[in-house]
Amino acid sequence: MENKGVSGQQPSLSQYFANDPPSFFDELASSKPQQMETVGGDTMTLPANPQATQQTLNTNQVPLMGTTPGGNTVSSNVQPAAASTGVNLTSNTFTGGFKTPEYIENQAELEEDMKIADDVRNFWETPVTPNGHPPLLTTPGIQTATDLPDLIANAVSKHLGDAELGHRKIPGVDNVTQDERGLRSLIASGCYRSAINLTGRLLTIYGQGYGRAGQPAKHSPHSLQLWFTRLALLAKLGEYELLQKEAEPFDKLNKPDVFYEFYPEMYPGKTGSIACFSFRLLLAEMPIYLGNPQLALDRLSELYVITNEIKLYFAGKNMKEAQDFWKKREFKILHAIVNCAIILKKYNLIDDILRSMIADGGDLDKEERRALFSAWGRIYLQIGDVFGAEQKFAEARRLRKIYSQPDIRDLVDKGLITVAQNDFPEAYATFQKALHLESGNTMILNNMGVCLLYAGKLKEAITLFERAINLNPQKSLNESLLVNLSTLYELESNNSKNKKLNLLRLINRYKPDLNISLEICLKLQTPN
């Protein structure tokens, strides 16, 4: 794979909160405050500098190589005939924005996972403590004395006043039962900060609250699941400083007190890891979000080697179900390694991994293979190799059911290729066909709006976004659409602030949380 210029971007956060996430590729995303997150690299975003875009429109030229004529970087995820920012592997379904984790309510998936025997699911080599040395213990503790604030409420109070704040009716930590059921309810409602605050209260009951870091404490499946949920949500919301502090005591989950054998009286005869596998994957991936993808790649590679050894162990015992279970875990690690490789520009590694995933994935169905080829093609698009992308998309199309009509995946693939070829009217028409298959899909709407902008139809792009928000504010008020619409307002008028404040009113009433700062989403600090 040839590198034609790509800048790094944070990858999607893997879908956690269960031993084995149900979807083949995840959609629980997290991004740094100054960056826009996409779902599978499908969504285009607008330049940070409105004047740069206006210059592009006035000259009827499309910026190449990710820059405007003025030299400002364009942040589109698929840029016309050029390279762009990093992409993440796509999921099996296309949805815009940031989804509530489906697995929280997907009892069938959880029940399917629980069919795997405990000694298979929790299989992990217990660390050995040298004779004469006390065991090193895992001693976490909450690192903040107060609850995380409601940042949307703070912004509304600052910019719109307390009267408008009175319209904010979302469940808080005190409005749910103080247990796992309440935690699931908050997460399902998208109230992630309140969910984090509830994990703090529940962990305090376990003696691991504020001020308890460094103090010995007994661990259980429930306490470690609470920590896992808390850290995953901190990563999702971009609270990286707090994430780093609270995750540090867990290291690689390689201390004896996170294994069942450490508590023979509590768990007689039980062996293996108390912490779920996804917790290990989160900790291995975490350096990506802290700006050290090479360290993440090293840790993920180590995790892959261990997982592969466990898979081969069960294969040697002719335990096919256990072997397949750990093979699925291998694939999840490879997904994360590809994300690291994109940031590190190791494109040959990406090719090798995806090729091996397809070659070794004999038990993958056609849709899963299609997802891999489509993801591969989009990665080629990110580095400006349109021909290579077309080849991979063609492979994906060949796996479609015979005589079936193009589905959303096909149409989005085609639309992204057309964008890369600078044919924005045709790309718009293709995305429009995809929208007819899934009305209200905000990823598709975002791409349609960007196509209109690059075709010089600014007002039509604004109307498209505003109509989408009016039809379904809860779904359409996602971060990428908000950033794009705020940028269009700045292009349209020097008095865009009132329109942005109207967006803030809608956010106040319909959105419990956002994954990036409101100041970034709505650009409220700009003069106009």
Side-chain angles (χ1 to χ4, degrees):
M1 189 183 292
E2 182 183 356
N3 174 11
K4 297 187 179 181
V6 61
S7 60
Q9 177 175 323
Q10 302 302 316
S12 291
L13 178 66
S14 295
Q15 195 169 20
Y16 298 120
F17 303 92
N19 267 329
D20 276 276
S23 63
F24 188 73
F25 285 121
D26 63 276
E27 291 193 8
L28 175 58
S30 176
S31 64
K32 287 190 175 181
Q34 73 273 21
Q35 294 171 313
M36 275 310 304
E37 175 62 24
T38 67
V39 179
D42 309 323
T43 305
M44 298 180 289
T45 52
L46 302 178
N49 186 334
Q51 286 71 30
T53 307
Q54 191 65 60
Q55 182 178 355
T56 301
L57 296 174
N58 289 340
T59 58
N60 293 319
Q61 295 175 342
V62 177
L64 302 180
M65 296 307 293
T67 59
T68 63
N72 297 287
T73 300
V74 178
S75 57
S76 301
N77 260 31
V78 177
Q79 293 171 356
S84 72
T85 58
V87 65
N88 307 309
L89 293 181
T90 181
S91 62
N92 283 329
T93 56
F94 299 104
T95 57
F98 302 83
K99 294 174 60 180
T100 301
E102 291 180 352
Y103 50 82
I104 292 296
E105 301 299 330
N106 195 336
Q107 193 62 34
E109 292 285 0
L110 294 176
E111 289 174 358
E112 188 68 26
D113 180 62
M114 293 308 293
K115 291 178 182 178
I116 301 297
D118 287 352
D119 58 348
V120 172
R121 187 174 58 252
N122 302 325
F123 192 91
W124 207 266
E125 184 177 1
T126 306
V128 178
T129 301
N131 291 331
H133 292 79
L136 295 175
L137 301 180
T138 306
T139 56
I142 303 297
Q143 293 290 325
T144 175
T146 58
D147 284 348
L148 295 185
D150 182 344
L151 298 184
I152 294 176
N154 290 348
V156 170
S157 179
K158 174 182 177 182
H159 294 284
L160 299 174
D162 291 340
E164 179 60 34
L165 185 59
H167 294 289
R168 186 162 177 76
K169 309 293 183 183
I170 63 167
V173 66
D174 294 318
N175 304 123
V176 297
T177 56
Q178 303 295 289
D179 54 17
E180 185 178 350
R181 184 162 59 95
L183 182 58
R184 288 175 178 270
S185 175
L186 289 172
I187 293 173
S189 300
C191 304
Y192 302 126
R193 291 181 181 275
S194 292
I196 290 172
N197 294 335
L198 181 53
T199 62
R201 294 184 181 185
L202 298 177
L203 285 167
T204 299
I205 297 173
Y206 277 102
Q208 299 174 23
Y210 179 70
R212 295 294 299 173
Q215 302 298 316
K218 290 183 178 180
H219 301 288
S220 68
H222 187 244
S223 68
L224 288 176
Q225 189 72 17
L226 285 172
W227 272 113
F228 169 52
T229 302
R230 180 180 176 88
L231 296 179
L233 287 172
L234 286 173
K236 176 177 176 60
L237 291 175
E239 296 285 349
Y240 297 117
E241 183 178 352
L242 184 57
L243 169 66
Q244 184 175 23
K245 290 179 181 178
E246 295 194 348
E248 185 177 358
F250 294 101
D251 193 23
K252 302 175 186 177
L253 288 169
N254 54 1
K255 295 173 184 174
D257 59 339
V258 292
F259 290 82
Y260 286 109
E261 291 91 332
F262 193 78
Y263 309 99
E265 295 180 356
M266 292 175 61
Y267 309 105
K270 200 164 186 178
T271 62
S273 174
I274 302 177
C276 65
F277 176 79
S278 293
F279 198 170
R280 296 181 182 277
L281 182 57
L282 168 62
L283 293 173
E285 277 189 311
M286 195 177 68
I288 301 174
Y289 307 102
L290 303 178
N292 193 346
Q294 184 59 57
L295 178 59
L297 182 59
D298 293 341
R299 291 185 174 181
L300 287 165
S301 299
E302 179 183 347
L303 189 62
Y304 177 81
V305 169
I306 296 172
T307 303
N308 180 257
E309 289 176 352
I310 295 174
K311 182 194 74 174
L312 295 177
Y313 168 80
F314 286 118
K317 289 184 170 292
N318 293 320
M319 299 174 65
K320 183 68 165 57
E321 186 179 30
Q323 178 187 350
D324 291 343
F325 179 77
W326 281 90
K327 186 173 183 177
K328 290 178 181 178
R329 289 182 165 182
E330 266 190 350
F331 269 42
K332 290 179 175 66
I333 300 170
L334 289 174
H335 172 204
I337 289 175
V338 167
N339 282 332
C340 278
I342 290 169
I343 296 172
L344 294 169
K345 305 179 184 179
K346 295 180 180 289
Y347 302 113
N348 289 333
L349 176 60
I350 295 170
D351 269 344
D352 290 343
I353 290 175
L354 291 177
R355 189 177 294 111
S356 70
M357 289 175 77
I358 292 171
D360 298 340
D363 53 347
L364 297 178
D365 61 32
K366 283 190 175 182
E367 279 305 305
E368 290 169 334
R369 287 175 176 269
R370 282 186 69 206
L372 278 173
F373 275 116
S374 180
W376 204 350
R378 294 177 194 202
I379 292 172
Y380 271 98
L381 272 185
Q382 299 309 303
I383 61 172
D385 188 348
V386 179
F387 178 72
E390 287 179 318
Q391 287 184 311
K392 301 307 176 188
F393 291 156
E395 292 283 355
R397 286 195 301 274
R398 277 194 281 272
L399 291 170
R400 199 176 67 216
K401 291 181 180 179
I402 299 176
Y403 305 123
S404 64
Q405 294 296 314
D407 58 10
I408 290 180
R409 185 185 306 285
D410 293 322
L411 292 169
V412 170
D413 288 347
K414 180 181 177 182
L416 295 176
I417 286 285
T418 313
V419 167
Q421 295 170 336
N422 295 339
D423 191 347
F424 298 107
E426 178 63 25
Y428 177 86
T430 303
F431 289 130
Q432 192 171 43
K433 291 178 183 177
L435 189 66
H436 289 157
L437 298 180
E438 188 176 322
S439 177
N441 185 311
T442 50
M443 174 273 293
I444 298 172
L445 285 164
N446 247 322
N447 290 350
M448 290 171 64
V450 176
C451 286
L452 287 172
L453 175 65
Y454 278 118
K457 299 180 179 180
L458 173 62
K459 290 189 180 298
E460 289 91 335
I462 291 175
T463 300
L464 177 75
F465 288 154
E466 290 179 337
R467 185 184 300 124
I469 291 173
N470 288 330
L471 289 174
N472 191 342
Q474 287 185 321
K475 183 176 182 180
S476 298
L477 287 168
N478 81 37
E479 289 81 347
S480 56
L481 193 148
L482 287 170
V483 169
N484 282 349
L485 183 54
S486 295
T487 302
L488 295 181
Y489 283 154
E490 292 179 2
L491 288 169
E492 179 192 38
S493 168
N494 288 329
N495 188 27
S496 63
K497 189 166 186 179
N498 287 336
K499 292 187 175 182
K500 295 179 189 177
L501 292 178
N502 283 333
L503 288 179
L504 180 58
R505 289 185 177 91
L506 290 172
I507 293 169
N508 178 50
R509 301 181 186 204
Y510 292 102
K511 297 293 288 188
D513 273 310
L514 290 173
N515 294 350
I516 63 176
S517 162
L518 266 174
E519 305 300 334
I520 300 295
C521 266
L522 301 185
K523 306 182 179 183
L524 292 174
Q525 297 300 337
T526 56
N528 58 331

Short mmCIF file of all heavy atoms in Angstrom, two decimals, residues 161-192:
data_model
loop_
_atom_site.label_atom_id
_atom_site.label_comp_id
_atom_site.label_asym_id
_atom_site.label_seq_id
_atom_site.Cartn_x
_atom_site.Cartn_y
_atom_site.Cartn_z
N GLY A 161 -28.58 31.60 29.87
CA GLY A 161 -29.20 31.96 31.14
C GLY A 161 -29.96 30.81 31.79
O GLY A 161 -30.23 29.78 31.18
N ASP A 162 -30.32 31.02 33.04
CA ASP A 162 -30.94 29.96 33.83
C ASP A 162 -32.35 29.64 33.38
O ASP A 162 -32.84 28.52 33.59
CB ASP A 162 -30.96 30.37 35.31
CG ASP A 162 -29.56 30.40 35.91
OD1 ASP A 162 -28.66 29.76 35.33
OD2 ASP A 162 -29.38 31.08 36.95
N ALA A 163 -33.03 30.60 32.75
CA ALA A 163 -34.40 30.32 32.27
C ALA A 163 -34.37 29.21 31.22
O ALA A 163 -35.19 28.29 31.26
CB ALA A 163 -35.03 31.58 31.70
N GLU A 164 -33.45 29.30 30.29
CA GLU A 164 -33.32 28.25 29.28
C GLU A 164 -32.84 26.95 29.91
O GLU A 164 -33.27 25.87 29.50
CB GLU A 164 -32.34 28.70 28.19
CG GLU A 164 -32.11 27.67 27.09
CD GLU A 164 -33.38 27.31 26.34
OE1 GLU A 164 -34.25 28.19 26.17
OE2 GLU A 164 -33.51 26.13 25.94
N LEU A 165 -32.00 27.05 30.91
CA LEU A 165 -31.50 25.85 31.57
C LEU A 165 -32.64 25.05 32.20
O LEU A 165 -32.56 23.83 32.33
CB LEU A 165 -30.48 26.24 32.64
CG LEU A 165 -29.75 25.10 33.36
CD1 LEU A 165 -28.99 24.23 32.36
CD2 LEU A 165 -28.80 25.65 34.41
N GLY A 166 -33.72 25.74 32.55
CA GLY A 166 -34.87 25.06 33.14
C GLY A 166 -35.53 24.07 32.21
O GLY A 166 -36.30 23.20 32.65
N HIS A 167 -35.24 24.17 30.91
CA HIS A 167 -35.81 23.23 29.94
C HIS A 167 -34.99 21.94 29.82
O HIS A 167 -35.38 21.06 29.06
CB HIS A 167 -35.89 23.89 28.55
CG HIS A 167 -36.85 25.04 28.48
ND1 HIS A 167 -38.22 24.88 28.53
CD2 HIS A 167 -36.63 26.38 28.38
CE1 HIS A 167 -38.81 26.05 28.45
NE2 HIS A 167 -37.87 26.99 28.36
N ARG A 168 -33.91 21.87 30.55
CA ARG A 168 -33.05 20.68 30.47
C ARG A 168 -33.61 19.60 31.41
O ARG A 168 -33.51 19.71 32.63
CB ARG A 168 -31.61 21.04 30.84
CG ARG A 168 -30.63 19.88 30.64
CD ARG A 168 -29.20 20.39 30.57
NE ARG A 168 -28.23 19.33 30.45
CZ ARG A 168 -27.97 18.65 29.33
NH1 ARG A 168 -28.66 18.92 28.23
NH2 ARG A 168 -27.05 17.71 29.30
N LYS A 169 -34.18 18.58 30.83
CA LYS A 169 -34.81 17.50 31.60
C LYS A 169 -34.16 16.18 31.21
O LYS A 169 -34.63 15.48 30.31
CB LYS A 169 -36.32 17.44 31.32
CG LYS A 169 -37.05 18.77 31.47
CD LYS A 169 -37.07 19.26 32.91
CE LYS A 169 -37.87 20.54 33.04
NZ LYS A 169 -37.85 21.09 34.40
N ILE A 170 -33.06 15.86 31.86
CA ILE A 170 -32.39 14.59 31.58
C ILE A 170 -32.18 13.85 32.90
O ILE A 170 -32.06 14.47 33.95
CB ILE A 170 -31.04 14.80 30.87
CG1 ILE A 170 -30.07 15.57 31.78
CG2 ILE A 170 -31.20 15.50 29.54
CD1 ILE A 170 -28.65 15.54 31.29
N PRO A 171 -32.15 12.52 32.85
CA PRO A 171 -31.92 11.78 34.09
C PRO A 171 -30.53 12.03 34.63
O PRO A 171 -29.56 12.07 33.88
CB PRO A 171 -32.11 10.32 33.68
CG PRO A 171 -32.17 10.29 32.20
CD PRO A 171 -32.36 11.66 31.70
N GLY A 172 -30.43 12.21 35.92
CA GLY A 172 -29.14 12.38 36.58
C GLY A 172 -28.83 11.20 37.48
O GLY A 172 -29.64 10.27 37.61
N VAL A 173 -27.69 11.26 38.11
CA VAL A 173 -27.24 10.15 38.94
C VAL A 173 -28.20 9.90 40.11
O VAL A 173 -28.33 8.76 40.58
CB VAL A 173 -25.80 10.41 39.43
CG1 VAL A 173 -25.75 11.60 40.38
CG2 VAL A 173 -25.20 9.17 40.08
N ASP A 174 -28.91 10.93 40.56
CA ASP A 174 -29.83 10.76 41.69
C ASP A 174 -31.22 10.31 41.25
O ASP A 174 -32.09 10.08 42.10
CB ASP A 174 -29.95 12.07 42.47
CG ASP A 174 -28.65 12.46 43.15
OD1 ASP A 174 -28.01 11.55 43.72
OD2 ASP A 174 -28.28 13.64 43.12
N ASN A 175 -31.43 10.19 39.93
CA ASN A 175 -32.75 9.82 39.43
C ASN A 175 -32.88 8.35 39.07
O ASN A 175 -33.89 7.93 38.52
CB ASN A 175 -33.10 10.66 38.19
CG ASN A 175 -33.03 12.16 38.45
OD1 ASN A 175 -32.31 12.88 37.78
ND2 ASN A 175 -33.79 12.62 39.44
N VAL A 176 -31.84 7.58 39.34
CA VAL A 176 -31.86 6.15 39.03
C VAL A 176 -31.49 5.36 40.27
O VAL A 176 -30.97 5.91 41.25
CB VAL A 176 -30.88 5.81 37.88
CG1 VAL A 176 -31.28 6.52 36.59
CG2 VAL A 176 -29.44 6.16 38.27
N THR A 177 -31.77 4.06 40.23
CA THR A 177 -31.36 3.21 41.34
C THR A 177 -29.84 3.17 41.42
O THR A 177 -29.15 3.20 40.41
CB THR A 177 -31.90 1.78 41.15
OG1 THR A 177 -31.45 1.27 39.89
CG2 THR A 177 -33.43 1.78 41.17
N GLN A 178 -29.34 3.12 42.64
CA GLN A 178 -27.90 3.19 42.85
C GLN A 178 -27.28 1.79 42.75
O GLN A 178 -26.73 1.24 43.70
CB GLN A 178 -27.60 3.82 44.21
CG GLN A 178 -28.21 5.20 44.38
CD GLN A 178 -27.62 6.24 43.42
OE1 GLN A 178 -26.47 6.64 43.57
NE2 GLN A 178 -28.41 6.68 42.44
N ASP A 179 -27.38 1.22 41.55
CA ASP A 179 -26.88 -0.12 41.33
C ASP A 179 -26.61 -0.30 39.85
O ASP A 179 -26.70 0.66 39.06
CB ASP A 179 -27.87 -1.18 41.85
CG ASP A 179 -29.28 -1.01 41.27
OD1 ASP A 179 -29.42 -0.31 40.24
OD2 ASP A 179 -30.22 -1.58 41.83
N GLU A 180 -26.31 -1.54 39.46
CA GLU A 180 -25.99 -1.81 38.07
C GLU A 180 -27.17 -1.51 37.15
O GLU A 180 -26.98 -1.05 36.03
CB GLU A 180 -25.56 -3.28 37.91
CG GLU A 180 -25.10 -3.63 36.50
CD GLU A 180 -24.65 -5.07 36.40
OE1 GLU A 180 -24.51 -5.74 37.45
OE2 GLU A 180 -24.43 -5.53 35.27
N ARG A 181 -28.39 -1.74 37.62
CA ARG A 181 -29.56 -1.44 36.80
C ARG A 181 -29.63 0.06 36.51
O ARG A 181 -29.92 0.47 35.38
CB ARG A 181 -30.82 -1.90 37.54
CG ARG A 181 -32.11 -1.71 36.75
CD ARG A 181 -33.22 -2.59 37.34
NE ARG A 181 -33.47 -2.23 38.74
CZ ARG A 181 -34.41 -1.36 39.12
NH1 ARG A 181 -35.16 -0.77 38.22
NH2 ARG A 181 -34.59 -1.10 40.40
N GLY A 182 -29.36 0.90 37.51
CA GLY A 182 -29.34 2.34 37.28
C GLY A 182 -28.24 2.75 36.33
O GLY A 182 -28.41 3.64 35.49
N LEU A 183 -27.09 2.07 36.44
CA LEU A 183 -25.96 2.36 35.55
C LEU A 183 -26.32 2.05 34.11
O LEU A 183 -26.07 2.85 33.21
CB LEU A 183 -24.74 1.56 36.00
CG LEU A 183 -23.45 1.77 35.22
CD1 LEU A 183 -23.01 3.23 35.26
CD2 LEU A 183 -22.35 0.87 35.78
N ARG A 184 -26.94 0.91 33.89
CA ARG A 184 -27.35 0.55 32.53
C ARG A 184 -28.37 1.54 31.99
O ARG A 184 -28.35 1.89 30.80
CB ARG A 184 -27.94 -0.86 32.52
CG ARG A 184 -26.91 -1.96 32.71
CD ARG A 184 -27.58 -3.33 32.81
NE ARG A 184 -26.59 -4.38 32.95
CZ ARG A 184 -26.03 -5.02 31.93
NH1 ARG A 184 -26.38 -4.71 30.70
NH2 ARG A 184 -25.13 -5.96 32.14
N SER A 185 -29.26 2.00 32.85
CA SER A 185 -30.28 2.95 32.43
C SER A 185 -29.65 4.26 31.97
O SER A 185 -30.04 4.83 30.94
CB SER A 185 -31.26 3.20 33.57
OG SER A 185 -32.19 4.20 33.24
N LEU A 186 -28.66 4.74 32.72
CA LEU A 186 -28.00 6.00 32.35
C LEU A 186 -27.25 5.85 31.03
O LEU A 186 -27.30 6.74 30.16
CB LEU A 186 -27.04 6.42 33.45
CG LEU A 186 -27.68 6.93 34.75
CD1 LEU A 186 -26.62 7.13 35.82
CD2 LEU A 186 -28.44 8.23 34.50
N ILE A 187 -26.55 4.73 30.86
CA ILE A 187 -25.79 4.53 29.62
C ILE A 187 -26.74 4.41 28.44
O ILE A 187 -26.51 5.00 27.37
CB ILE A 187 -24.89 3.29 29.74
CG1 ILE A 187 -23.80 3.53 30.78
CG2 ILE A 187 -24.26 2.95 28.39
CD1 ILE A 187 -22.95 2.32 31.09
N ALA A 188 -27.83 3.67 28.60
CA ALA A 188 -28.80 3.51 27.52
C ALA A 188 -29.42 4.84 27.12
O ALA A 188 -29.80 5.03 25.97
CB ALA A 188 -29.88 2.52 27.93
N SER A 189 -29.51 5.77 28.09
CA SER A 189 -30.08 7.11 27.81
C SER A 189 -29.03 8.08 27.26
O SER A 189 -29.37 9.22 26.95
CB SER A 189 -30.68 7.70 29.09
OG SER A 189 -31.69 6.87 29.60
N GLY A 190 -27.78 7.64 27.17
CA GLY A 190 -26.73 8.52 26.69
C GLY A 190 -26.21 9.48 27.73
O GLY A 190 -25.49 10.43 27.40
N CYS A 191 -26.54 9.24 29.00
CA CYS A 191 -26.09 10.13 30.08
C CYS A 191 -24.76 9.61 30.63
O CYS A 191 -24.67 9.07 31.74
CB CYS A 191 -27.14 10.18 31.19
SG CYS A 191 -28.77 10.69 30.63
N TYR A 192 -23.71 9.79 29.85
CA TYR A 192 -22.44 9.14 30.16
C TYR A 192 -21.73 9.75 31.36
O TYR A 192 -21.11 9.04 32.15
CB TYR A 192 -21.53 9.17 28.93
CG TYR A 192 -22.16 8.52 27.73
CD1 TYR A 192 -22.28 9.20 26.51
CD2 TYR A 192 -22.67 7.23 27.79
CE1 TYR A 192 -22.87 8.62 25.41
CE2 TYR A 192 -23.26 6.63 26.70
CZ TYR A 192 -23.36 7.32 25.51
OH TYR A 192 -23.95 6.74 24.43
#
